[in-house]
Amino acid sequence: MAKRLTKQETWDRNLRAARMIRACVNGLIADGIADDEDVMDEFSGIIAEWIFRNPVRHSGYISVEALNSSKTPTDDHYFGRKSSGILLYRYALRGASIKRLAYIIASRSRCHQVTSEQNTELKKHDTRGLLKPKSVIKAEYDSAEIVMVKKQIVVYIINDIEYDTLTAAALAHNTSPITVKNRCTQDKRGKFPSWKSEIR
């Protein structure tokens, strides 16, 4: 399993994507085709791909079925690809700052965890709106008969790098999972100050 990016690394990725979007939209404006509907449609699709290749931000919610399943949960981006791409294109077209675009990318990278079957079912209930208040997102899940619960995840942080499992951390530091757990949670003498854990 690959290491998880730190918050700073994730934010840097958001900024990089925002700069690329801004540069491309500025080029379309300079060419005089930024308002062309076909260009908007095609380029917002490209933006959508950038967003969905971005590191996901887990909301901390998981469906009851996914929680009880032996299969790895699926990440459900509850903001749709197309609507996310269109929203970012419109903001870039209006001259939004790089930082503002990066915040939108971060927001649109959020996801809940569900089963793969539930993810397919949710597509049938997607309202496809550019903006989705929490009440709309909840209504979509209710309509698909999916019950979400808050998931508490233990994250192991070693030298500012986050690992979502003991095994991943152990492999990265050539030690055993129990050693990682002890250093992160029971370091009473303070010998490993850069080894810690958080519940999220």
Side-chain angles (χ1 to χ4, degrees):
M1 180 181 288
K3 75 170 188 176
R4 290 181 62 177
L5 297 177
T6 65
K7 287 180 182 177
Q8 186 59 51
E9 288 169 332
T10 301
W11 179 244
D12 289 343
R13 289 272 293 268
N14 293 339
L15 287 171
R16 185 177 67 190
R19 286 188 186 98
M20 289 189 291
I21 291 167
R22 167 53 77 69
C24 290
V25 171
N26 284 348
L28 295 173
I29 292 169
D31 288 344
I33 59 172
D35 290 322
D36 181 277
E37 284 192 25
D38 289 336
V39 171
M40 291 174 77
D41 184 60
E42 289 177 34
F43 193 66
S44 62
I46 293 168
I47 293 173
E49 282 306 311
W50 277 339
I51 297 170
F52 278 73
R53 287 175 183 227
N54 212 41
V56 298
R57 290 178 58 212
H58 289 116
S59 66
Y61 284 88
I62 186 169
S63 71
V64 172
E65 278 190 41
L67 187 63
N68 295 324
S69 173
S70 59
K71 295 179 183 176
T72 302
T74 298
D75 294 329
D76 170 55
H77 290 78
Y78 42 86
F79 290 114
R81 286 177 189 263
K82 190 69 175 174
S83 63
S84 297
I86 291 169
L87 185 71
L88 266 161
Y89 187 90
R90 289 182 180 173
Y91 268 87
L93 199 58
R94 291 196 310 241
S97 68
I98 297 294
K99 194 171 182 181
R100 179 68 179 139
L101 293 173
Y103 275 120
I104 296 169
I105 291 167
S107 171
R108 294 284 162 150
S109 300
R110 289 179 301 176
C111 63
H112 294 326
Q113 291 185 304
V114 296
T115 66
S116 58
E117 296 80 12
Q118 288 174 327
N119 194 36
T120 301
E121 179 63 23
L122 275 163
K123 290 174 185 170
K124 301 174 190 173
H125 304 273
D126 187 356
T127 56
R128 304 187 190 284
L130 290 189
L131 301 173
K132 282 190 191 178
K134 287 183 181 177
S135 58
V136 172
I137 296 168
K138 183 179 182 315
E140 290 175 356
Y141 279 77
D142 288 347
S143 180
E145 298 182 354
I146 298 172
V147 177
M148 303 299 293
V149 293
K150 184 76 173 166
K151 180 181 180 183
Q152 289 194 327
I153 304 170
V154 178
V155 176
Y156 301 92
I157 306 164
I158 304 170
N159 299 324
D160 294 324
I161 297 172
E162 295 183 7
Y163 302 89
D164 54 3
T165 66
L166 284 169
T167 303
L171 285 172
H173 294 276
N174 197 26
T175 188
S176 68
I178 192 65
T179 299
V180 171
K181 185 175 182 181
N182 288 341
R183 288 179 181 177
C184 289
T185 62
Q186 300 174 18
D187 181 27
K188 294 176 183 174
R189 295 181 186 171
K191 289 176 125 182
F192 302 96
S194 61
W195 293 58
K196 44 194 174 181
S197 66
E198 291 180 7
I199 296 177
R200 300 196 178 148

